Amino acid sequence: MNKSTEKWILLAIIGVHLAITLPAAYLLNIWVDEASSLYATERGFWVAFQTAAAEQKQAPLYFWILSLWRSIDGSIFFARLFSIICSIISIKLFADLASRIADRRGAILLTAFFGLHPFLIWASLEIRVYSLVILLSIVLIRSFLASFWDDDRTKSSTIYESIWFLLGVIVALYTNYYLGFLVAGLFAALFFTGRWRQAGRYLLISAAAGVVFVPMVFEMIAEFRSKSSGFQEPRSVFEGVRILWHHFLTFVFPTEIFPASEQSTISYFRLWIMRAAVPLAAVITIWKRRSLSSLTLALGCIASVVSLFLLIAYFLVGDFYIHIRHASVLFVPLVLFLASVAADLTGPLPEARRKVLTIASAIVIIPVFAYAYTALYPNMTKRGDWARVAQFIEANESPNEPILTFEAFDALALPYYYRGVNRILPDENYFDFSLQGPVGSPESMVRQNNFVISEIPEGTSTFWLVVNEYCTATEACRPLENYVQSNYTIDIEKEFYLVKIYRFKARSK
């Protein structure tokens, strides 16, 4: 396979990624997290600069960039286009990393796995930071290898690469705090492979990046206190490892990126296949450990340290903050590590065996990826289905019928589709609520229940209520339900994807 053929195959991978994501980016409704990004960036760069970290309780750089990006075009599609572009650049840069691990054909197969992976497709369709996190993960690893790993660099090129690495670390920390896990993992790779001189230089560069990050330290501490101030669910090592195991399965053998409460048949078989395959692969790897390259060991250190920090985050702030989207920082190092292990263990293969392995891989991966694509967005909608919710309310409403949402945060999404005559409530305090009791219990969201009740205008005889799955599947909305049932009767009831609509009319006195 020559370089010209590689180039055309890479363009084909990018083309397929675009063929999947561009139509979906135009057609899919936003969900509430995306609405939050739009809300944070729709009032211009200066407002985003002032409020991004305080409101979103995240590192602010993505929101600053998105506010500038949206000054060109404020549409939902254009906002998603930024994530798609990040993913396209990621595919190109990942191909260069893949060529370090495998031969040309193997590198192309690995790039195809990455570029068409359902998780990367999902990240491309989010108006959130995750696609940029994946891109920065690749940039950091590439820059790390060039600055600290390659021994054939001249002194001037090493200085040049080190400066780029320093800038990359600064950008990463201002973009997503969890990218700090990757920064720690890169140091661990130097330390545990005995590259002491490079590790010392790495610490100096990291210290310089830390100085530049100082303005965010107090904000980060405030955000941590906010996220850990509410009710804390009991935590265990078993549960934390179970969550990370699910992320591992998703990155290696994806079925549903966001599994339903009831396990699907294909997920059930995937689980047992992986339960058999992982121990077998571990035994083979230990048996042939002398075949593992230092690069493989380094990538293993990186993936292990990132996983360890995600587990620590679970104990510090709870499982809500290590969902699969937060594990996007693990996606690249884990895929690279497993691919590097496979390349080391298999070594050069005869052409006939290589073709068989390629065909067998395609037979397994293509149907699995296709299933995962269809499972991502049932009925081509994201959670909340806000476009159809808005259409339904507009078709059935009359004036003076305010629209309430629970959770309060959900009130951010509906205005992007609703064009009716009524007011959407709440219209403030979207980010002010934390857990007050066990998840799903009547005590879990008492303060938010009371706040939503207080938002019902005095003297209102008819209003709409839109509730998410926390209300329909748990007892979290019990105080709100008790109030409504005591004072109103259901006039209209309609269910959409992970959301339910009611129109209530006051009881006759």
Side-chain angles (χ1 to χ4, degrees):
M1 185 182 297
N2 57 40
K3 287 192 174 183
S4 176
T5 303
E6 287 181 38
K7 178 182 176 181
W8 283 108
I9 294 175
L10 179 60
L11 288 174
I13 294 169
I14 292 173
V16 174
H17 186 97
L18 290 173
I20 295 170
T21 56
L22 286 176
Y26 181 79
L27 294 171
L28 285 169
N29 64 284
I30 60 171
W31 71 297
V32 68
D33 273 21
E34 292 182 290
S36 177
S37 295
L38 297 176
Y39 173 81
T41 57
E42 66 186 3
R43 293 164 289 173
F45 174 78
W46 182 241
V47 174
F49 182 82
Q50 291 176 301
T51 64
E55 286 189 344
Q56 298 292 322
K57 296 179 174 57
Q58 299 179 48
L61 186 58
Y62 169 76
F63 300 101
W64 299 347
I65 296 171
L66 187 63
S67 66
L68 294 174
W69 177 260
R70 296 188 67 216
S71 67
I72 302 171
D73 185 320
S75 68
I76 290 171
F77 174 78
F78 196 75
R80 282 184 178 143
L81 190 60
F82 178 76
S83 293
I84 293 174
I85 291 172
C86 287
S87 292
I88 295 307
I89 299 172
S90 295
I91 294 170
K92 170 61 179 72
L93 298 181
F94 185 92
D96 297 336
L97 281 178
S99 66
R100 282 177 168 266
I101 293 172
D103 59 21
R104 286 184 171 179
R105 185 170 299 182
I108 284 293
L109 292 173
L110 179 57
T111 302
F113 178 85
F114 170 80
L116 303 179
H117 196 288
F119 186 75
L120 187 66
I121 297 291
W122 170 83
S124 292
L125 296 173
E126 287 291 298
I127 310 174
R128 295 299 274 179
V129 72
Y130 312 115
S131 181
L132 181 56
V133 167
I134 292 170
L135 172 58
L136 289 173
S137 299
I138 296 171
V139 169
L140 285 177
I141 294 173
R142 278 170 49 94
S143 182
F144 165 80
L145 294 175
S147 302
F148 302 97
W149 197 261
D150 294 339
D151 296 325
D152 58 348
R153 296 277 177 171
T154 64
K155 185 175 181 180
S156 59
S157 66
T158 298
I159 294 172
Y160 174 79
E161 293 292 349
S162 296
I163 292 172
W164 275 110
F165 181 75
L166 171 62
L167 293 175
V169 172
I170 293 169
V171 169
L173 293 178
Y174 270 87
T175 300
N176 186 273
Y177 300 137
Y178 282 14
L179 281 167
F181 303 166
L182 180 58
V183 174
L186 296 174
F187 171 75
L190 294 175
F191 183 84
F192 286 105
T193 55
R195 295 175 176 253
W196 312 115
R197 184 172 59 84
Q198 294 92 330
R201 183 161 56 90
Y202 186 97
L203 286 177
L204 289 175
I205 292 174
S206 299
V211 171
V212 179
F213 186 69
V214 164
M216 286 303 302
V217 169
F218 295 106
E219 181 63 39
M220 187 175 69
I221 292 172
E223 292 169 19
F224 169 73
R225 287 175 177 170
S226 172
K227 291 175 180 177
S228 59
S229 61
F231 174 84
Q232 301 297 310
E233 289 275 359
R235 293 160 196 170
S236 68
V237 173
F238 175 81
E239 178 61 17
V241 171
R242 187 194 65 80
I243 294 170
L244 293 179
W245 167 248
H246 164 70
H247 299 342
F248 173 85
L249 292 179
T250 299
F251 293 151
V252 176
F253 195 167
T255 51
E256 298 92 356
I257 303 296
F258 303 98
S261 56
E262 294 186 6
Q263 190 177 46
S264 67
T265 301
I266 192 168
S267 285
Y268 176 81
F269 282 110
R270 182 273 302 263
L271 177 62
W272 282 101
I273 289 170
M274 293 299 290
R275 282 176 175 173
V278 169
L280 178 62
V283 169
I284 294 173
T285 301
I286 294 171
W287 179 42
K288 301 185 68 174
R289 60 188 179 278
R290 296 185 185 278
S291 301
L292 300 179
S293 67
S294 59
L295 178 58
T296 298
L297 297 176
L299 291 169
C301 282
I302 296 167
S304 298
V305 170
V306 172
S307 300
L308 176 62
F309 273 99
L310 286 170
L311 185 61
I312 293 171
Y314 161 74
F315 280 102
L316 290 176
V317 291
D319 60 352
F320 184 81
Y321 294 102
I322 61 163
H323 283 181
I324 187 73
R325 56 185 183 272
H326 304 113
S328 53
V329 67
L330 178 61
F331 179 46
V332 173
L334 180 62
V335 170
L336 287 173
F337 166 61
L338 295 177
S340 190
V341 170
D344 288 347
L345 296 183
T346 55
L349 292 174
E351 184 64 23
R353 188 176 297 179
R354 183 191 300 273
K355 286 183 178 180
V356 171
L357 184 61
T358 300
I359 294 171
S361 299
I363 289 173
V364 173
I365 291 172
I366 290 174
V368 167
F369 276 24
Y371 171 79
Y373 298 154
T374 60
L376 262 178
Y377 306 113
N379 299 317
M380 273 304 290
T381 184
K382 293 192 176 187
R383 63 190 311 119
D385 205 356
W386 296 106
R388 292 188 180 96
V389 166
Q391 291 172 359
F392 181 82
I393 294 175
E394 289 172 22
N396 293 278
E397 69 180 346
S398 299
N400 301 314
E401 294 178 356
I403 306 165
L404 275 79
T405 68
F406 190 95
E407 302 174 54
F409 190 52
D410 288 348
L412 291 171
L414 189 54
Y416 290 98
Y417 299 102
Y418 177 71
R419 299 294 179 267
V421 297
N422 289 300
R423 186 180 175 191
I424 298 172
L425 298 169
D427 54 10
E428 60 181 353
N429 299 336
Y430 306 115
F431 307 95
D432 292 350
F433 302 99
S434 59
L435 200 65
Q436 296 169 270
V439 172
S441 70
E443 298 79 27
S444 60
M445 298 181 174
V446 169
R447 195 164 69 87
Q448 187 168 180
N449 274 263
N450 292 336
F451 171 70
V452 171
I453 291 170
S454 72
E455 287 288 289
I456 301 173
E458 188 176 351
T460 296
S461 61
T462 305
F463 72 94
W464 295 86
L465 178 64
V466 186
V467 298
N468 61 27
E469 68 269 29
Y470 289 115
C471 287
T472 56
T474 75
E475 296 291 308
C477 296
R478 179 57 59 192
L480 175 60
E481 292 173 5
N482 290 342
Y483 175 82
V484 170
Q485 290 172 4
S486 298
N487 296 278
Y488 297 87
T489 59
I490 297 175
D491 179 52
I492 293 177
E493 182 176 350
K494 181 70 173 179
E495 190 166 0
F496 292 91
Y497 179 50
L498 298 178
V499 73
K500 201 166 186 178
I501 305 173
Y502 301 92
R503 184 167 71 178
F504 290 102
K505 289 193 173 183
R507 292 182 181 275
S508 303
K509 294 184 179 179

